[in-house]
Amino acid sequence: QVQLVESGGGLVQPGGSLRLSCAASGSSIVINAMGWYLQAPGKERELVAVFTSGGSTNYADSVKGRFTISRDNAKNTVYLQMNSLKPEDTAVYYCNAVVTAPMGYLEVWGQGTLVTVSS
């Protein structure tokens, strides 16, 4: 079984910062791609930032220059450093991973962590 455990959400004032973490667990897994998506109330889930299978990074235009994705391969963990947060960044942030596991090729989602940007 492959699981993603997220942490780091919360309430922050506009202009503030938060750091999200997502750790993947499971036996004999290889992470092909891993990153973050968000879902705002009443809207569809959308990409925030991701490490692709080729090792490059993709960012949504709305977060470029403010958010940074990083990873610790030894810990199967990705991070999302969010700076200069805006009220429109308020959403549930979901971690996503595409992994190769003994049971096959899987796409896995975390449970989501709420980020609220408000004064």
Side-chain angles (χ1 to χ4, degrees):
Q1 187 176 2
V2 181
Q3 288 187 318
L4 301 178
V5 178
E6 301 144 337
S7 61
L11 173 65
V12 63
Q13 293 186 341
S17 298
L18 281 176
R19 189 191 193 209
L20 306 183
S21 300
C22 173
S25 64
S27 297
S28 302
I29 64 171
V30 175
I31 297 176
N32 303 116
M34 195 166 178
W36 294 94
Y37 290 72
L38 67 81
Q39 188 164 19
K43 296 188 177 181
E44 294 187 352
R45 198 170 295 188
E46 59 186 56
L47 173 75
V48 179
V50 65
F51 282 104
T52 69
S53 58
S56 61
T57 54
N58 286 339
Y59 289 91
D61 288 342
S62 60
V63 307
K64 286 179 180 177
R66 300 188 299 123
F67 292 10
T68 303
I69 189 170
S70 61
R71 62 186 174 182
D72 185 335
N73 290 333
K75 296 181 179 179
N76 284 341
T77 299
V78 293
Y79 307 93
L80 186 67
Q81 178 66 43
M82 304 186 293
N83 299 329
S84 303
L85 282 160
K86 306 174 181 180
E88 51 264 43
D89 295 320
T90 295
V92 178
Y93 285 71
Y94 294 91
C95 183
N96 171 271
V98 178
V99 306
T100 302
M103 67 285 289
Y105 195 73
L106 306 173
E107 182 177 23
V108 187
W109 291 92
Q111 79 282 0
T113 185
L114 177 63
V115 172
T116 303
V117 185
S118 175
S119 55

